[in-house]
Amino acid sequence: MSYAPVAVAPTANESERLINENLTLVKRIAHHIMAKLPASIELDDLIQAGMLGLIEAASHYDPSRGASFETYAGIRIRGAILDEVRKSDWTPRSVHRRYRSITEAIADLQARSGKDPSDQEIADHLDMPLEEYHAILRDSTSCRLFSLDQPYVDS
C-alpha cells in the first residue's frame, strides 16, 4: 500500500519569514498589473489585495510540491489582485473584450495607413455594421467611473 505525502502547513515563524522576504514581490506584481488598468484603480488597493494573496500563500505553501515559494506566491498574489479588480468592476467582461478588439483594430488601421481611421473603416475592418460599432462604443463609455474627489477634465 502506498501513501501520498501529507502536506505540512508552515509554522507561524516560517510564514512570517516568507511574508517579510517577499513584500517587494507584491509591489512588483501590483505595479505590473497597474500598468494595464484604468487610472481610476488605486495602486494601494492592488497592493492590499496582493498582501492578502501573499499571506494566504505563506500559510498554504508546501515545499514538497516542488515549486519555489516565489513562483507559488506570485500566482496567488496575481490571482488575489485580479479577483479584487473584477469584484470592483460591474462591467461584463464581454464589454471589455469587444472594446479591446476595437482598440486593436484602430491600432492596426493606423499602422497600415498612417492616419486615424474613420468609424466606417473600423467597422468594416471588424466586419460589423456601423450601428453595432457605435453600440460597442456606447457600452464601453457608459461603464467608465469618475471620481468625485478629482476635478473633471474633458479630454
Side-chain angles (χ1 to χ4, degrees), residues 13-155:
N13 288 341
E14 178 67 9
S15 292
E16 188 174 329
R17 183 187 65 76
L18 290 170
I19 292 167
N20 287 329
E21 288 178 359
N22 289 279
L23 293 173
T24 58
L25 179 62
V26 173
K27 289 181 182 179
R28 189 171 67 233
I29 291 171
H31 280 280
H32 180 75
I33 292 174
M34 181 76 182
K36 300 175 186 175
L37 296 175
S40 60
I41 305 293
E42 295 284 332
L43 178 63
D44 289 343
D45 293 340
L46 300 182
I47 291 173
Q48 182 178 2
M51 285 301 299
L52 294 175
L54 176 61
I55 291 167
E56 185 178 328
S59 67
H60 291 97
Y61 178 62
D62 180 4
S64 70
R65 308 276 273 189
S68 72
F69 179 75
E70 186 173 349
T71 301
Y72 176 73
I75 293 167
R76 299 299 286 254
I77 292 165
R78 189 171 288 105
I81 291 172
L82 293 176
D83 285 348
E84 182 62 28
V85 169
R86 288 183 189 121
K87 191 171 27 171
S88 66
D89 182 11
W90 63 81
T91 307
R93 288 188 203 174
S94 62
V95 171
H96 291 298
R97 184 174 48 253
R98 294 176 77 186
Y99 183 71
R100 211 171 17 255
S101 71
I102 287 175
T103 58
E104 289 168 0
I106 291 170
D108 186 39
L109 290 168
Q110 284 175 333
R112 288 184 193 177
S113 68
K115 64 178 184 68
D116 288 338
S118 69
D119 286 357
Q120 187 63 56
E121 289 172 322
I122 298 166
D124 290 345
H125 183 77
L126 293 168
D127 196 27
M128 68 175 55
L130 186 59
E131 297 78 26
E132 183 180 346
Y133 167 73
H134 286 149
I136 294 170
L137 290 178
R138 273 193 308 276
D139 288 347
S140 62
T141 302
S142 67
C143 69
R144 289 181 55 200
L145 291 178
F146 297 95
S147 171
L148 296 176
D149 298 330
Q150 300 292 323
Y152 174 72
V153 177
D154 191 12
S155 45

